[in-house]
Amino acid sequence: MKKYIKIDEWNIIEEGFDPHLNKISESIFSLGNGRMGQRANFEETYSGETLPGNYVAGVYYPDKTRVGWWKNGYPESFAKVLNAANWIGIEIKIDYETLDLDNCKVTDFKRVLNMKEGYLERSFTAELKSGKKLKVKATRFCSIVDDEAGAIRYSLTPLNFDSAVTITPFIDGDVKNQDANYDEKFWDEVHKETHHGSAYLNLRTKKTGFHVCTGMKFAIEQNGKIVEFSSVPVEREKYVANKVTLSVKEKQETVIYKYAVNLSSENHDKELLVHETKKVIEHISQKGFALMLKEQAQAWAAKWVESDIVIEGDASAQQGIRFNIFQLNQTYTGEDARLNIGPKGFTGEKYGGSTYWDTEAYCVPFYLATADEQVTKNLLIYRYKQLDKAIENAKKLGFKNGAALYPMVTMNGEECHNEWEITFEEIHRNGAIAFAIYNYIRYTGDAQYLNDYGLEVLVAIARFWSQRVNWSADKSQYVMLGVTGPNEYENNVNNNWYTSTIATWCMEYALEALATVKASDAAKYAAIVKKIRFKEAEESEQWQHIIDNMYYPVDERLGVFLQQDGYLDKELILVKDLPAEDRPLNQKWSWDRILRSCYIKQADVLQGLYFLEDRYDLETIRRNFDFYEPLTVHESSLSPCVHAILAAKLGDETRAYEFYLRTARLDLDDYNNDTEDGCHTTSMAGTWMSVVEGFGGMRVRDNQLQFHPFLPGKWASFSFKVGFRGSLLNVKVSKEGVQIINQSDKALSVNVFDKHYDLAGNAQLIVEHALAN
């Protein structure tokens, strides 16, 4: 764990330059706008350790896998989020010395991510080997108003010299992914052109044929005025630039304004891509940096109105939650149903793919409450549109009759993950997708979604589960063999409790959905039944028989659900008794040792208790929590939030706060020693869940919001906003009680501490001293 980020409620601040922390900072200080993203790489040359990262949403490359592609059922390629053209580059030369923080003395270094207004600012003083000193201040952002654009203000001030300075703004498309399987570069050049003060580079991905045109335009200012300059065009393979030489004077500031855009063939005609790029670059450069920055601040203010969480009395917790909300809001906007939320967002390339079960299990609750319901609907429709691919994936593994297995990792619906224990065995992902449909309808009341999209997905998933189980003559029950649960520190186990439980829940929900659609729209029901060739009596009877006769491993003596058969055969040594030098296990132990150990990477049984908590009484949840939490190492970013929510439900304030702080500051403090690969974007939604569902105790039951909050001892108060069926509520929890303000015209009913209240439009409810009762 590293604690070098300064505590501030609205800013992420790094003071002093430590090259060993640079890749971590590049992740933490990343920027994005839903269409494009940028790691916090330096504009100027940097020859030290760095992970360059520029990403364009929806653009990927199917990198041929190194292992397994020749085996039946294995994917042939792994879909990679592509490192795209570097648009931020500005090379600086003082006489013949290149400004490079790896080759000069750096002082007064400060990096600030302004989350309130959505921009990154960096400043430092550099002393070159010649003794020349200069001060640099760089500000940049990815615009969420013009979401294909970014802008940079880069200023340099000589402190002890007059000299000639060569400034070379550039676009460099000669890039590669760090995780390329065969060290291959994934881009081919289509077109380039360079003009005075501007340049354009059009690239095409190999195999997939995506085109991305990156354009730039720049202006230079001295003494507060735009200056005329001469430029020399520079072109080489996949590279365009303008070289400008100017005279600079001691204490005089020179400012470079660089405007850049990334336009993709996903959104523009390939034949018109360069033309459209020029139009957009002209539009933003005419606005100018100051106006674009002002618009950025206004747009972010609107986002914070919808999604901010305010914590009084704990600046570390406040900074953590805002950082997570900020990253979520700049990663996914919900405006394009073709896009989804990758586990690293726009902060790194590790894991590849754009979609994991993280979206349905962790991100859906955040977007349901903080954005228009269409945003979440688009996430679900994304899966609906890939249903044919999910059926094809299952067919490759021997399933039939329209059974669907959604991929563990995907870009276009095809499975692209090739670790057998995950690709073929971590099938619980199907359950998360079905649960997201249930969660969406429960929250929005949009029952029509079942008729239009949901039912087909639910039936296909139920068909998969019904074929994945088998009858055990020994047990006279159905069993599920050879699976991997959410806990990836167990592979190829039999009867994983969570997987079996979510499987039968899916079949129950599919039967319920069939009855709902049949009752609400008989014609639609008949059309769906015909389309998917559903054998109503036969298949429904089969599913019900599995539901009624499923085997679940339980230990009656301990009163807990067993993670899987044989779990108690393991040597049960608590995590607290592990030597500190053994952590994290995945970096210190062999895989063989991990698999034979009792240690749990992330919530497994507890994941099921979180999803389906209404099925279990409080004591059942408590027994399982108290048994499994001490054995959990939380080496998955998705683990602490589930534990925080359940601990809060159990009234365990100490552990709830501990897990919240861990999930909120997972990346800021580099808890698991892996932030340099990118932030854990999807788990950030779990941080929001920890506050709203954990400390706020928010649930949806009987078509209304229910709250059962408590106040962590270190906090004076906390408040959050949730949108619900046309209403916007501001919920504040303090030592005095609970205040709910309806910030919309629409009336609704709420439940606070199991008591019903009617709340009129633009009215407030105060439940005094409720926390003490």
Side-chain angles (χ1 to χ4, degrees), residues 554-602:
V554 176
D555 186 270
E556 300 292 350
R557 180 177 59 87
L558 295 172
V560 298
F561 304 122
L562 288 184
Q563 186 169 268
Q564 70 268 338
D565 283 349
Y567 182 76
L568 293 181
D569 292 335
K570 294 174 177 285
E571 186 179 12
L572 301 181
I573 301 173
L574 303 184
V575 173
K576 69 179 180 63
D577 296 325
L578 274 174
E581 58 268 21
D582 282 7
R583 304 284 305 279
L585 300 185
N586 57 20
Q587 296 173 27
K588 301 295 180 65
W589 283 15
S590 70
W591 195 243
D592 169 71
R593 187 178 181 187
I594 289 173
L595 292 177
R596 289 186 288 107
S597 78
C598 66
Y599 299 115
I600 300 169
K601 181 183 180 184
Q602 70 184 81

Side-chain angles (χ1 to χ4, degrees), residues 523-672:
K524 180 70 173 180
Y525 177 80
I528 293 173
V529 166
K530 182 178 180 181
K531 176 183 177 182
I532 65 176
R533 300 179 180 178
F534 181 64
K535 299 176 182 177
E536 183 174 2
E538 178 183 330
E539 293 189 71
S540 297
E541 183 179 346
Q542 181 195 18
W543 299 351
Q544 191 62 55
H545 193 260
I546 295 169
I547 293 166
D548 294 339
N549 294 279
M550 191 69 181
Y551 166 73
Y552 307 98
V554 176
D555 186 270
E556 300 292 350
R557 180 177 59 87
L558 295 172
V560 298
F561 304 122
L562 288 184
Q563 186 169 268
Q564 70 268 338
D565 283 349
Y567 182 76
L568 293 181
D569 292 335
K570 294 174 177 285
E571 186 179 12
L572 301 181
I573 301 173
L574 303 184
V575 173
K576 69 179 180 63
D577 296 325
L578 274 174
E581 58 268 21
D582 282 7
R583 304 284 305 279
L585 300 185
N586 57 20
Q587 296 173 27
K588 301 295 180 65
W589 283 15
S590 70
W591 195 243
D592 169 71
R593 187 178 181 187
I594 289 173
L595 292 177
R596 289 186 288 107
S597 78
C598 66
Y599 299 115
I600 300 169
K601 181 183 180 184
Q602 70 184 81
D604 195 305
V605 168
L606 300 186
Q607 181 75 42
L609 295 178
Y610 162 66
F611 272 166
L612 306 175
E613 65 174 7
D614 290 345
R615 292 184 164 199
Y616 308 102
D617 61 43
L618 205 60
E619 287 310 307
T620 298
I621 296 173
R622 189 186 309 279
R623 285 194 305 273
N624 282 276
F625 186 88
D626 289 343
F627 178 74
Y628 283 109
E629 191 284 318
L631 298 167
T632 303
V633 291
H634 303 290
E635 290 175 8
S636 165
S637 64
L638 302 175
S639 188
C641 63
V642 172
H643 286 77
I645 295 165
L646 291 179
K649 181 181 179 67
L650 295 170
D652 188 338
E653 176 185 327
T654 300
R655 284 194 286 186
Y657 179 80
E658 173 192 335
F659 289 126
Y660 161 74
L661 206 60
R662 177 162 183 166
T663 188
R665 300 193 63 85
L666 182 78
D667 290 308
L668 291 178
D669 295 337
D670 194 22
Y671 259 95
N672 288 337

Side-chain angles (χ1 to χ4, degrees), residues 253-268:
E253 183 185 44
T254 297
V255 179
I256 304 103
Y257 293 102
K258 183 177 182 181
Y259 308 94
V261 298
N262 285 307
L263 268 64
S264 163
S265 58
E266 285 286 88
N267 305 305
H268 301 274

